[in-house]
Amino acid sequence: MIKRIVFDFDGTLAFTVPLCMKCFHDAWEPHVGRKMTDEEIFATFGYPEEGMIQFLMPPPWDAAMADLYKMYEEFHPVLCPALFDGVKELLDELKVKLPLDLLT
């Protein structure tokens, strides 16, 4: 029996790759000291953001993470304004039957 459904956000409910890449490049470049390649960033996909930045630069990481989260919030409405087609309707239908969670 299904008791709840847990969704990931990035790439599952919405196409966020352009948003994420812009934020990773713009927020972390000043802290890393150079422009990172897309390949370097893609190589860290799968880790949480904290693990990504720890892989890419030495400590301290707090300022780089704060910049990332600030930019993600700022650019989200512009670079990822909507969910994938049909996702809102699916979530609306599911939430009347089961608890839904977001784990990202």
Side-chain angles (χ1 to χ4, degrees):
M1 167 190 251
I2 297 174
K3 295 183 181 183
R4 72 182 331 105
I5 299 176
V6 180
F7 291 95
D8 178 44
F9 186 76
D10 295 313
T12 303
L13 300 180
F15 183 63
T16 59
V17 172
L19 168 65
C20 292
M21 293 303 288
K22 176 169 182 47
C23 294
F24 295 150
H25 280 293
D26 293 357
W28 292 347
E29 182 177 341
H31 302 282
V32 175
R34 64 179 176 79
K35 182 160 179 72
M36 294 176 293
T37 66
D38 287 350
E39 291 76 21
E40 288 176 297
I41 294 171
F42 281 132
T44 66
F45 274 33
Y47 293 102
E49 286 82 4
E50 292 86 359
M52 294 173 76
I53 193 61
Q54 290 172 12
F55 183 81
L56 294 168
M57 66 176 267
W61 301 294
D62 292 347
M65 291 307 302
D67 289 347
L68 173 74
Y69 293 137
K70 179 181 175 190
M71 287 183 183
Y72 190 89
E73 186 174 328
E74 177 183 340
F75 292 121
H76 201 284
V78 176
L79 296 176
C80 186
L83 301 172
F84 285 127
D85 289 343
V87 168
K88 182 185 181 320
E89 294 79 11
L90 174 65
L91 296 175
D92 287 343
E93 183 179 325
L94 289 173
K95 73 182 178 185
V96 299
K97 301 173 185 175
L98 294 163
L100 305 178
D101 291 314
L102 182 66
L103 180 64
T104 189

